[in-house]
Amino acid sequence: MSYSRTLRLLCGVAGAGSTALLLARLGDPGGDPGGDQTGPWSRSRVLQAAQPTWPSAAHTPLPSGPAWDFNWDKRDPSAFSNGKKKEKEKEKEELSSEQDKPKATRNILLIRHSQYNLSGNGDKEKVLTPLGREQAELTGQRLAALGLKYETLVHSSMSRATETANIISKHLQEVELVSCDLLREGAPIEPVPPVTHWKPDAVQYHEDGARIEAAFRRYIHRADAKQKEDSYEIIVCHANVIRYFVCRALQFPPEGWLRMGLNNGSITWLTVRPSGRVALRTLGDSGFMPVDKLTRT
């Protein structure tokens, strides 16, 4: 193989940017590289030098943390069986367990409230800004355009979430509107790593954390066995609540909730399968909004 053809091969295999490094590694060929098959420009040595070096298997990240808990919502029918029962009773129990298994998938669309007046004095004054009302209209239009059969629209009882939900409901007029105090904003758990700009005291974490965890247990779980068709539910609440829900549902460390960011009016979509598997279809989707309407306050 000629010197020029070897150089072209190197450029094609290793990339032109790597050629100089390879030349320095191989040294000056001098003379006729094709005449000495044992020298630095032998065909096998050139091709070996052009090959990428991959890390060994020992450097591949290994799974960490506990295995997936299929009974995370305490609704796994197999967890109710009693292995000490007699054979006939066991057969009846297995038949009953099969009938009690969920068969439908729950789709939960978590909506962050729109932009609101940060300088308001108390919750009643922290209403949506004009831009926030526009954002809520856009979110409502997006939810309607998806063409899903929504069953309920649950919202936090705080003013900014209530107002956002009311605007969205204009685009989904057949959907029942429900208010819930458990979904109010708060401090779910002390974040890791810590932040310096926001430091609730221990009492707030203790009180808010219990409430937000109660909201998670009420709203995020697999379908009841009586549910025959897949369902779609909307929850309008707050960034901290949504981020905590996502971590808990995916069985990620809940203290990592503050590592995610959500735009106002964005859509986060969780699916819970009958088996207890959970998937995150979208996180903070706001691509349906024009760029000049995007905020995160």
Side-chain angles (χ1 to χ4, degrees), residues 181-215:
D181 287 333
L182 291 177
L183 293 167
R184 294 172 72 88
E185 184 64 301
I189 188 174
E190 192 169 356
V192 177
V195 292
T196 56
H197 62 279
W198 184 71
K199 284 190 174 183
D201 55 33
V203 172
Q204 186 175 353
Y205 282 124
H206 182 69
E207 294 179 351
D208 290 353
R211 173 178 54 77
I212 296 171
E213 172 64 18

Side-chain angles (χ1 to χ4, degrees), residues 28-96:
D28 183 4
D32 178 11
D36 181 9
Q37 293 301 313
T38 62
W41 280 97
S42 68
R43 184 177 304 177
S44 61
R45 293 193 182 188
V46 167
L47 291 177
Q48 286 176 357
Q51 297 302 313
T53 301
W54 302 107
S56 65
H59 293 89
T60 303
L62 298 174
S64 61
W68 179 264
D69 177 12
F70 279 94
N71 196 30
W72 59 273
D73 59 352
K74 310 307 177 190
R75 286 171 165 82
D76 184 358
S78 64
F80 304 142
S81 62
N82 186 345
K84 296 182 180 180
K85 293 190 175 181
K86 293 180 180 179
E87 197 63 33
K88 287 186 178 180
E89 292 179 345
K90 197 171 183 180
E91 288 178 7
K92 290 180 181 180
E93 187 178 76
E94 287 175 356
L95 179 61
S96 176

